[in-house]
């Protein structure tokens, strides 16, 4: 069994060293995960003790904790690249990556705020009984939403909206379908994938605005969790950046 020990570094301050299993326990992950991340360049190469066992220090622990928090905030692939950059690139480049991650979350929050306000207004709109004169063509609806006609065709193919057809076969959108298209547009702008949008629209006949609001609240909680994860990652990695 590998054991932990305490040695004194060049600075004279004691530095903890961990075996693979102990590092994994401290980070609440598996031993295999530690090894995989070392191979991926997320962790610096471990030192070897006289008995051949790997030895990890506080830097490895901070990198591991930072990676796990970053993976929750920005995704595993981006987190791995940021940690590799930490070992490889100038500090300014690493800080720029962190700034970009914060900026992306800020952008998502801003879009979510817009979507929350707009969706509540759209979903609460009364939808009159459709009349042929109230229908919109695909070009007219695309212009009203500020999207391409191809986006409307894609939403139709995914079963999100289902326009009717006139005698010539051209698409015609009733007021109810226009409302659904506006809700789809707002939810997509807020970052929802097709499956989530489909689930929200399916709840509209039963839950109305409440179903849309619940989905947006869930999105808000997800963003908050990622923001906290990014904060934890920054705290773990700051000492490695000289902070």
């Amino acid at each position: 069994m590998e054991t932990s020990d305490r040695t004194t570094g060049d600075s004279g301050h004691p530095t903890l060293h961990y075996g693979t299993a102990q590092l994994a326990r401290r980070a609440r992950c598996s031993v295999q995960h530690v090894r995989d991340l070392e191979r991926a360049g997320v962790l610096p190469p471990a030192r070897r003790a006289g008995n051949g066992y790997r030895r990890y220090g506080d830097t490895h622990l901070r990198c591991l904790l930072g990676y796990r928090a970053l993976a929750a905030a920005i995704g595993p692939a981006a987190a791995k690249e940021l940690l590799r950059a930490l070992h490889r690139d100038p500090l300014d480049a690493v800080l720029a990556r962190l700034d970009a991650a914060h900026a992306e979350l800020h952008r998502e929050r801003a879009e979510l705020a817009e979507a929350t306000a707009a969706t509540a207004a759209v979903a609460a709109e009364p939808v009159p009984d459709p009349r042929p004169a109230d229908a919109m063509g695909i070009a007219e609806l695309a212009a009203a939403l500020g999207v391409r006609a191809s986006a409307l065709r894609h939403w139709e193919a995914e079963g999100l909206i289902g326009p009717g057809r006139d005698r010539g076969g051209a698409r015609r959108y009733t007021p109810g379908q226009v409302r659904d298209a506006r809700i789809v547009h707002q939810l997509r702008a807020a970052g929802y994938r097709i499956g989530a949008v489909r689930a929200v629209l399916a709840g509209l006949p039963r839950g109305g605005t409440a179903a849309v609001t619940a989905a947006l609240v869930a999105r808000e909680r997800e963003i908050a969790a990622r923001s906290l994860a990014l904060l934890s990652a920054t705290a773990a990695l700051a000492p490695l950046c000289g902070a």
Side-chain angles (χ1 to χ4, degrees), residues 8 11 17 43 68-69 75 80 86 93 100 104 107 116 124 138 140 147-148 150 154 178 181 191-192 199 201 230 238:
T8 301
S11 64
H17 284 268
L43 305 182
R68 286 172 59 77
K80 288 178 182 177
L86 180 65
E104 174 61 19
R107 183 192 65 78
T116 299
I138 188 169
E140 185 180 6
V147 301
R148 299 185 180 211
S150 58
H154 176 62
V178 169
Y192 277 90
L201 289 176
L230 187 55

Side-chain angles (χ1 to χ4, degrees), residues 11 35 40 58 66 69 79 91 93 96 122 149 161 179 187 191 217 225-226 242-243:
S11 64
R35 292 171 178 161
D58 286 340
L91 178 59
V122 170
I161 53 177
R179 181 206 61 179
L187 291 177
V217 168
R226 289 167 55 209

Side-chain angles (χ1 to χ4, degrees), residues 35 41 52 59 110 161 188 198 201 227 234:
R35 292 171 178 161
T59 294
I161 53 177
R188 291 289 286 159
R198 187 181 293 114
L201 289 176
S227 293
T234 302

